[in-house]
Amino acid sequence: ANMPELHSCLEVAALAGACLAVGWWMGSRRQRRARPPQYHAGIIKANRELLDQYIQLHDHTWDEVMEVMYQCNMRNFLVWYHEETQLMMQHFECVGDDFEGDMAKVAAHPITRFWWTFCEPCQIPFHWEGPPPSQGGAGDPRYPGQWWAPMQCLTHCGAWPTSYAESWPNPTFQKNHPEGKTTTKDSPPEVHNRTGPAAGWTTYKQQPYRAPGC
């Protein structure tokens, strides 16, 4: 073969090798991405008197809260409400490798902790003693950390998610507040539980109050 033909053959071989490498890399990514997430769900009673506030808080969850949840590998977070029983169920999926570490980072986030002080009065946990989670409380020693009572997954009928959107909120979500009211960190709702010793914690710009012993 003459030199031009040899160069052409080498170029084709190099291109074929590159295509194989790219194909292998993309296949490897798909395999990693296809790993199913960890599923987590919990249940809690709604405080009927503050359901309006809870809807305001969740028709537009504060951007900073959504950001830290995403950074901490939480995806597809949902809260369902059953009016007859006044029960709420949460569900989310975790795509990280250190669930406890990720949850600790969420709990340490000052704006998220401040957000919790408005959510907690809207909820009635089944088993809880002492300061709420926003103040570092761990609850009833028999049910440690169970502000939301954990639920057992009895089945998952396949077709698990393999990728997630990188933005929020979900454009198909339909807001629930009849007057379209929402809140932000700079314009929060009225009712909170930063009372008593926690009364000095008045803004998200402060370090969260931690109850003694927590």
Side-chain angles (χ1 to χ4, degrees), residues 128-181:
W128 194 268
E129 293 180 0
S134 61
Q135 298 179 23
D140 189 325
R142 297 171 299 169
Y143 307 94
Q146 292 187 18
W147 183 264
W148 290 80
M151 302 178 71
Q152 181 181 1
C153 180
L154 298 182
T155 185
H156 186 280
C157 296
W160 61 81
T162 59
S163 63
Y164 295 86
E166 297 180 359
S167 61
W168 51 82
N170 186 327
T172 65
F173 172 67
Q174 296 183 358
K175 296 183 178 182
N176 293 286
H177 197 277
E179 299 175 19
K181 294 181 179 180

Side-chain angles (χ1 to χ4, degrees), residues 65-76:
V65 175
M66 295 295 295
E67 175 70 29
V68 75
M69 289 170 62
Y70 187 86
Q71 291 176 354
C72 293
N73 296 306
M74 298 173 68
R75 303 288 187 272
N76 203 27

Side-chain angles (χ1 to χ4, degrees), residues 11-214:
E11 289 172 356
V12 170
L15 180 60
C19 288
L20 287 172
V22 169
W24 174 87
W25 177 74
M26 292 183 67
S28 176
R29 282 193 66 194
R30 279 194 295 269
Q31 287 182 346
R32 289 197 299 270
R33 195 168 58 238
R35 184 184 67 175
Q38 301 173 33
Y39 300 99
H40 299 271
I43 193 167
I44 199 168
K45 296 178 182 177
N47 182 350
R48 187 190 294 268
E49 295 180 358
L50 289 176
L51 182 62
D52 185 90
Q53 172 165 305
Y54 195 77
I55 291 174
Q56 289 185 46
L57 285 161
H58 289 81
D59 267 1
H60 178 75
T61 301
W62 297 359
D63 293 333
E64 297 81 5
V65 175
M66 295 295 295
E67 175 70 29
V68 75
M69 289 170 62
Y70 187 86
Q71 291 176 354
C72 293
N73 296 306
M74 298 173 68
R75 303 288 187 272
N76 203 27
F77 192 104
L78 303 168
V79 174
W80 296 90
Y81 167 65
H82 186 249
E83 183 175 7
E84 183 178 357
T85 60
Q86 294 296 299
L87 293 175
M88 297 191 294
M89 187 200 80
Q90 71 168 6
H91 163 95
F92 66 94
E93 292 147 27
C94 179
V95 297
D97 298 315
D98 181 9
F99 177 74
E100 297 298 332
D102 282 336
M103 295 305 100
K105 291 177 184 177
V106 173
H109 186 246
I111 296 179
T112 299
R113 291 273 287 278
F114 193 66
W115 152 272
W116 286 352
T117 69
F118 299 99
C119 294
E120 289 163 348
C122 307
Q123 302 164 330
I124 305 172
F126 293 109
H127 308 288
W128 194 268
E129 293 180 0
S134 61
Q135 298 179 23
D140 189 325
R142 297 171 299 169
Y143 307 94
Q146 292 187 18
W147 183 264
W148 290 80
M151 302 178 71
Q152 181 181 1
C153 180
L154 298 182
T155 185
H156 186 280
C157 296
W160 61 81
T162 59
S163 63
Y164 295 86
E166 297 180 359
S167 61
W168 51 82
N170 186 327
T172 65
F173 172 67
Q174 296 183 358
K175 296 183 178 182
N176 293 286
H177 197 277
E179 299 175 19
K181 294 181 179 180
T182 59
T183 71
T184 68
K185 69 180 190 303
D186 297 301
S187 182
E190 294 183 1
V191 181
H192 59 79
N193 60 3
R194 301 184 312 279
T195 59
W201 180 20
T202 60
T203 171
Y204 66 88
K205 297 178 182 179
Q206 296 172 271
Q207 281 299 311
Y209 170 81
R210 182 172 288 274
C214 295

